[in-house]
Amino acid sequence: MTTRRTVVAAAISLALFGWPAAALDWKAQVPELTLAVVPVENATPTTERHAPLVDYLTRKLGVPVKLRVAKDYAAVIEGQRAGAVHIAWYGPASYAQAVLNGVKIQPLVTQRHENGSTGYNAVIYVLATSLYQSVEDLKGKTLALVDPDSTSGNQAPRYFLKRAGFDLDKHFGKTFFAGSHENAVVALAESKADAAANYWTSDSETMVTRLAGKGLLKAPDGKPMSQSDFRIVFKSDFLPYGPFAVLASLPIDLKAEIRAAFMGLPQEDKAAFDRLSDGKDIGFAAVKLADYEPIVEMLRFNREQH
């Protein structure tokens, strides 16, 4: 028997959540999830870094979660636009790019580093053995960038160098996109570039320390390299870490469960959490769109320069 209370409850449910009370179980609507990540590293280390997280989310959420390692930053953005990627890990600029391009997504959490920070700086590296001591010294030289949608690997250097009086495209004789932060550092190490754009979180957390820790960073003569073999000639202002973001269209209770799963990861599966940062993060922090408005404005400025 249908009562007035039942009708009112159903109407409230439909108004608030967009589907009837009988269909509130999100698993009936979303039986499988896909997590995509922007390619900071190359495919194999990216898969190894995120596979434990995917296993944890599968257990925690109770539905299969699949990992998609994107070939470039744009692929993650377009995957979410198409609705094929439910959860994505972005850099701040690629997240802002998605927002500017009208992709309907919601940031949930970002990582907190061991020093308490929830962000980093964009830097330009040169080899410590080189004569380059400043950006001025790199006039007409070759710069390895990362990806058009990378924050530290393209967008931030353009913005902050412009603010310092340097037009990136005019100051350097040649620029090229290496495809990942890893590739940009390697290009510099192998003398295929005079400088490389990258990120710096702390002296112990950079792409240089990640590669060196795995024995993957070597000079052309085969000698192992470390952070001391590189010199920073430019450092940007503070930038927020990129978020794990979800499709805004996902059921409200699913989004809440995903956020809760991330927040609980450091305690419930410390090994999976430590794998994300090689043990250099201490937890997650909740984030919202307003936290990335300065990055959105940075991208708007860069767009206006072209």
Side-chain angles (χ1 to χ4, degrees):
M1 178 178 178
T2 301
T3 65
R4 182 176 183 276
R5 180 177 296 177
T6 302
V7 172
V8 171
I12 292 175
S13 172
L14 185 59
L16 291 179
F17 304 109
W19 61 86
L24 282 177
D25 181 5
W26 61 262
K27 293 177 184 177
Q29 304 172 65
V30 191
E32 182 178 280
L33 294 164
T34 296
L35 165 68
V37 296
V38 293
V40 172
E41 299 170 291
N42 294 332
T44 298
T46 298
T47 299
E48 293 172 349
R49 189 174 297 280
H50 291 86
L53 169 64
V54 167
D55 291 342
Y56 164 80
L57 291 174
T58 295
R59 297 194 308 270
K60 191 69 177 176
L61 299 173
V63 296
V65 179
K66 294 186 176 181
L67 177 65
R68 178 183 297 181
V69 179
K71 62 181 176 63
D72 56 28
Y73 287 58
V76 176
I77 296 172
E78 293 309 310
Q80 288 219 287
R81 183 196 301 281
V85 173
H86 306 90
I87 312 167
W89 178 68
Y90 286 101
S94 51
Y95 169 74
Q97 191 74 265
V99 171
L100 285 172
N101 290 351
V103 183
K104 304 302 182 183
I105 50 179
Q106 177 183 337
L108 295 183
V109 298
T110 194
Q111 290 154 263
R112 187 180 298 279
H113 189 57
E114 60 187 1
N115 63 8
S117 172
T118 56
Y120 62 103
N121 303 88
V123 298
I124 293 179
Y125 281 123
V126 297
L127 294 178
T129 55
S130 75
L131 298 176
Y132 312 127
Q133 300 292 329
S134 66
V135 174
E136 288 92 336
D137 295 338
L138 290 168
K139 175 76 172 176
K141 304 302 180 181
T142 298
L143 173 67
L145 297 169
V146 174
D147 182 280
D149 293 323
S150 169
T151 311
S152 62
N154 184 46
Q155 296 292 340
R158 287 183 183 280
Y159 177 76
F160 288 104
L161 282 174
K162 185 73 173 180
R163 208 170 70 174
F166 302 98
D167 186 312
L168 186 149
D169 292 315
K170 295 178 180 178
H171 184 73
F172 292 91
K174 177 184 177 182
T175 63
F176 66 92
F177 291 111
S180 71
H181 289 75
E182 186 175 287
N183 288 347
V185 169
V186 170
L188 175 58
E190 295 179 348
S191 298
K192 295 177 180 177
D194 301 299
N198 230 273
Y199 75 88
W200 182 94
T201 299
S202 68
D203 286 337
S204 65
E205 172 52 14
T206 69
M207 183 50 66
V208 173
T209 60
R210 285 190 178 189
L211 287 169
K214 298 175 183 177
L216 299 177
L217 192 57
K218 297 181 179 181
D221 63 3
K223 177 186 175 183
M225 302 181 77
S226 67
Q227 190 72 34
S228 63
D229 291 305
F230 297 82
R231 177 166 53 246
I232 293 173
V233 295
F234 183 82
K235 184 182 287 187
S236 76
D237 290 354
F238 176 85
L239 301 161
Y241 283 141
F244 282 92
V246 296
L247 293 176
S249 60
L250 291 181
I252 292 174
D253 49 349
L254 170 55
K255 290 187 285 189
E257 287 192 39
I258 293 172
R259 187 196 295 268
F262 275 104
M263 295 299 284
L265 177 61
Q267 294 75 39
E268 296 185 35
D269 193 335
K270 190 172 186 302
F273 175 73
D274 286 347
R275 190 69 189 86
L276 293 174
S277 68
D278 296 329
K280 294 171 183 173
D281 287 339
I282 58 175
F284 285 105
V287 290
K288 55 188 180 302
L289 174 58
D291 296 320
Y292 296 95
E293 282 299 337
I295 306 299
V296 172
E297 290 306 312
M298 180 178 76
L299 262 66
R300 285 198 179 105
F301 176 87
N302 285 348
R303 282 184 175 187
E304 291 170 358
Q305 303 308 302
H306 296 282

